[in-house]
Amino acid sequence: MAFYLSTPIYYVNSTPHIGHAYTTIAADILVRHHRQRGEETFFLTGVDEHAEKVARIAVEQGLSPREYVDQIVGAWQELPARVNASIDYFIRTTDEGHKLFVQDFLQRIYDKGDIYQDVYAGLYCVGCEAFKTEAELVDGKCPDHDVEPEWIEEKNWFFRLSAYEDRLLQLYEQPDFVRPAFRANEAKGFIAGGLRDFSISRAGQTWGIPIPWDPDQVAYVWADALVNYRSALDYARPDEDLTHLWADAHHLIGKDILRFHCVYWPALLIAAGYDPPKQLFVHGYLNIDDRKISKSLGNVIDPLDLVDVYGVDPIRFWVARVVPFGQDGNVTLESFHERYERELGNDLGNLLSRTTAMIARYRGGELVFAPTDRSELALAASALHDEVPIALDAYDIDGALETIWNHVRRLNRHVEESKPWALAKDEAQADELDRVLYDLADGLRVVAVALAAYVPETAARILDALKQPPLDHAWGNVAYGGTVAATGIEAAEPLFPRIDAPTLA
Ligand code: MSP
């Protein structure tokens, strides 16, 4: 079993914002989880460099496009690193291997007879890097970018998308091809409106990949960018053949780019003689005050600023928890701070502080191996073991986290109900106290393994505080009774110290 997951490749016309971090973190949670299950995984992210808007920014800054992208790419490479995303390859569409692959890919479609020359005249939104119909505009403007599209008229190369209608409809009939299901209906809606052939090249531009049979034109940015998901497998590892992973390719995308991924991309692949990807998952937007976060709207939160203030795990936790994955969600920094204190600080942080403090105080730091035969925590751990993978197979990132959080809450109740402070006063209850302390420590270990995909650093710190061997991620460890006896346990430092709510620009 393999799990190959990609994020969209991000435009480099600006620096990363929390919306981009959202996709990258969600993808990382899924990949880390599949890795815990012992599957072969591959995680691809990167940047989309050949956009017209990128070329324009370069001109504004007095740089060549190549100089510009080379200068800004560092900020994008830093994004996965700073949010602790365990990527396998960072693709740039200016990679030589990608360029050669795209040329071969387009040549295959051309040779098959599905690319022809025609004149295009229409409105182009540089923000979307897409042609727009009048019907898609609001007051003459692109609703996503709030700008009037530009009139473009040029002779270029068209892909015969209309010939792929039936194949695409068959694909959408596969229940898992596009998820959530309502997004598959949206994709069908694009087809119901009639598929129009689209231009895969641009004339009069030099920034882009030259069309092999007509080097005066460059590939349209989407006909170049989409191909990254397949090209990377050919050259990301010079010594290793990764192409078998294509059969398990999953794309995680935002709803803004559904049409390109669900309609154009599978059709291009089939035309070039490749299989479509296995599955696409379309998530919603993170909104601030109900508006999409984007550079052009000016309501950007720099994710790296948040990481600087809170550390990386609280951001990962929040992203996974704040919005039902797949839907849109409105976020505020206040709600983030509130969750940091209540859920991370109180529910989880205090549970570890209390548990370790009681082991230190009542048992001189020694944890006795004292599992109970019919512990309700054993049943709960076993349910956790079974339910989380089912939820994550359905991309229910928030639902799986809620299941884990229920276990955290159950452990907190266990402290209240079993009252270890009362047991500690009574010598006759010494064994019972050992059992309670063991159950709490073991419950925390189970939570740590289950949370490892979400908050990897925190998971490791929990095990360290309990003087357990370093985190073994294997999912089978989400089971009652795996905690070993230990000595030298001290009252742990707070996992999530109090922070003054910052004001971020
Ligand atoms: N370059 C294209 C994608 C090409 S993929 C072959 C592109 N880039 S983008 O930088 O504009 O946005 C990429 C993705 O970033 C979106 O699809 C989405 O996954 C994510 N997001 C950008 N803003 C977002 C929010 N405000 N909320 C959630 N995700 C957001 O489109």
Side-chain angles (χ1 to χ4, degrees):
M1 197 58 174
F3 185 72
Y4 162 29
L5 187 68
S6 60
T7 70
I9 47 172
Y10 304 109
Y11 286 131
V12 291
N13 58 315
S14 61
T15 48
H17 61 63
I18 194 79
H20 307 118
Y22 182 69
T23 309
T24 300
I25 292 172
D28 188 54
I29 291 169
L30 293 164
V31 172
R32 282 181 187 263
H33 172 73
H34 281 271
R35 215 175 278 139
Q36 287 190 278
R37 282 155 64 179
E39 294 170 22
E40 178 189 9
T41 58
F42 192 75
F43 182 5
L44 182 71
T45 189
V47 283
D48 187 352
E49 299 178 286
H50 290 130
E52 190 171 334
K53 54 183 164 188
V54 171
R56 288 189 188 184
I57 291 271
V59 171
E60 275 171 29
Q61 299 192 1
L63 298 170
S64 72
R66 183 74 220 196
E67 285 166 340
Y68 170 81
V69 295
D70 284 348
Q71 206 173 73
I72 200 165
V73 72
W76 287 94
Q77 284 162 331
E78 208 189 331
L79 172 70
R82 291 289 297 283
V83 301
N84 207 357
S86 55
I87 63 168
D88 291 293
Y89 191 66
F90 185 96
I91 191 167
R92 298 182 58 176
T93 52
T94 50
D95 287 347
E96 226 24 68
H98 173 74
K99 288 198 224 167
L100 292 172
F101 191 96
V102 169
Q103 290 188 320
D104 176 68
F105 188 92
L106 295 177
Q107 184 74 50
R108 282 162 169 253
I109 306 177
Y110 182 70
D111 291 346
K112 202 179 161 211
D114 276 341
I115 288 178
Y116 62 93
Q117 204 167 33
D118 206 347
V119 173
Y120 196 94
L123 294 163
Y124 191 82
C125 170
V126 178
C128 296
E129 295 288 0
F131 285 103
K132 295 277 163 181
T133 61
E134 292 284 351
E136 288 169 320
L137 306 178
V138 177
D139 297 332
K141 291 180 174 176
C142 162
D144 282 344
H145 295 92
D146 216 13
V147 288
E148 282 180 20
E150 298 163 23
W151 183 258
I152 287 182
E153 198 168 333
E154 59 186 39
K155 193 174 195 184
N156 44 36
W157 295 96
F158 278 69
F159 170 57
R160 215 179 295 283
L161 179 66
S162 49
Y164 289 85
E165 223 170 280
D166 290 345
R167 284 300 303 272
L168 290 172
L169 284 172
Q170 277 168 22
L171 268 179
Y172 305 150
E173 289 312 315
Q174 292 174 20
D176 287 342
F177 182 62
V178 179
R179 301 190 87 174
F182 73 97
R183 297 292 185 195
N185 288 337
E186 259 177 58
K188 270 187 221 157
F190 285 126
I191 295 189
L195 280 181
R196 285 169 53 186
D197 295 350
F198 72 96
S199 147
I200 53 96
S201 72
R202 296 295 312 273
Q205 287 185 17
T206 49
W207 181 235
I209 302 177
I211 296 291
W213 62 89
D214 181 4
D216 287 342
Q217 301 219 358
V218 296
Y220 167 49
V221 64
W222 279 98
D224 155 354
L226 287 162
V227 181
N228 91 89
Y229 302 129
R230 181 60 189 77
S231 71
L233 297 184
D234 264 39
Y235 72 92
R237 297 268 182 283
D239 309 326
E240 203 185 332
D241 183 4
L242 297 174
T243 52
H244 66 282
L245 289 164
W246 185 246
D248 292 292
H250 299 70
H251 303 321
L252 190 63
I253 60 165
K255 66 175 185 177
D256 48 336
I257 50 179
L258 182 146
R259 181 205 299 252
F260 296 103
H261 283 79
C262 300
V263 183
Y264 291 14
W265 177 224
L268 285 168
L269 278 164
I270 297 167
Y274 294 94
D275 287 332
K278 188 168 181 180
Q279 191 172 56
L280 294 126
F281 187 89
V282 186
H283 68 70
Y285 286 164
L286 272 191
N287 298 315
I288 286 193
D289 301 329
D290 288 324
R291 297 200 79 184
K292 183 187 170 204
I293 302 161
S294 80
K295 174 88 176 167
S296 48
L297 296 174
N299 57 348
V300 178
I301 298 178
D302 182 338
L304 304 185
D305 284 350
L306 283 176
V307 171
D308 282 344
V309 177
Y310 288 91
V312 68
D313 279 356
I315 313 301
R316 293 174 61 99
F317 174 81
W318 179 60
V319 155
R321 196 145 172 76
V322 68
V323 178
F325 199 59
Q327 296 173 28
D328 291 343
N330 202 31
V331 299
T332 62
L333 288 180
E334 291 73 28
S335 74
F336 168 58
H337 190 78
E338 189 272 330
R339 268 185 200 280
Y340 175 83
E341 290 192 334
R342 179 168 51 86
E343 297 190 316
L344 289 178
N346 293 346
D347 292 352
L348 182 61
N350 278 352
L351 179 66
L352 180 72
S353 305
R354 289 172 94 183
T355 303
T356 50
M358 290 190 292
I359 297 171
R361 185 153 165 217
Y362 305 142
R363 289 289 179 260
E366 184 177 356
L367 178 70
V368 178
F369 182 71
T372 313
D373 269 355
R374 287 181 307 277
S375 167
E376 57 133 352
L377 292 173
L379 289 176
S382 150
L384 191 62
H385 172 275
D386 295 348
E387 285 167 18
V388 169
I390 293 172
L392 287 177
D393 280 346
Y395 297 79
D396 186 2
I397 292 179
D398 54 295
L401 183 52
E402 177 61 15
T403 303
I404 302 170
W405 221 252
N406 278 334
H407 204 64
V408 173
R409 295 192 193 105
R410 184 176 291 111
L411 292 167
N412 277 310
R413 277 202 307 277
H414 196 62
V415 178
E416 298 307 323
E417 287 165 10
S418 56
K419 299 188 177 44
W421 48 90
L423 299 175
K425 288 187 189 137
D426 182 354
E427 239 337 280
Q429 298 281 8
D431 288 351
E432 181 59 14
L433 178 60
D434 280 337
R435 282 194 287 270
V436 169
L437 293 176
Y438 183 82
D439 272 4
L440 292 175
D442 188 64
L444 273 161
R445 181 195 55 82
V446 165
V447 163
V449 182
L451 279 180
Y454 291 87
V455 286
E457 286 178 1
T458 303
R461 285 170 64 200
I462 292 174
L463 292 193
D464 185 50
L466 295 166
K467 298 282 182 265
Q468 295 298 301
L471 186 64
D472 176 349
H473 293 89
W475 192 251
N477 290 325
V478 179
Y480 179 75
T483 301
V484 296
T487 53
I489 294 175
E490 294 166 16
E493 293 291 315
L495 282 177
F496 303 100
R498 285 191 73 85
I499 291 173
D500 290 333
T503 331
L504 294 166

